[in-house]
Amino acid sequence: MKLVTAIVKPFRLDDVRNALSDVGDFLPKAKIEVAVPDDLVERTIETIIESAKTGKVGDGKIFVTNLEQVWRIRTGETGDGAI
């Protein structure tokens, strides 16, 4: 299984979306990325599920990945303090 992430010019989005729907099984989605401390992961997941779930095909997916490090550029803070 692979995760494919593409960054495209905004005016090409419709063309890409249409081409992907021709490939099959493509439902348009919006991507939300939230960096949270470990102690808020479960609460964040529950909140997303509660607010996004319709019970119909295409409700979405949630992927959780580890962040090795975070830096706040303005202050130089790192780790949870930078979130």
Side-chain angles (χ1 to χ4, degrees), residues 24-79:
D25 198 29
F26 176 75
L27 298 171
K29 305 279 190 295
K31 183 177 182 180
I32 300 169
E33 293 181 318
V34 184
V36 297
D38 288 338
D39 62 332
L40 290 179
V41 171
E42 291 301 320
R43 184 173 172 194
T44 301
I45 292 169
E46 291 168 3
T47 300
I48 294 169
I49 290 172
E50 289 171 8
S51 57
K53 185 176 181 178
T54 66
K56 298 179 182 174
V57 172
D59 276 352
K61 309 232 179 346
I62 298 174
F63 303 97
V64 178
T65 58
N66 290 322
L67 291 177
E68 292 296 321
Q69 188 56 282
V70 178
W71 287 266
R72 179 172 292 163
I73 295 172
R74 179 177 51 85
T75 63
E77 290 174 279
T78 61

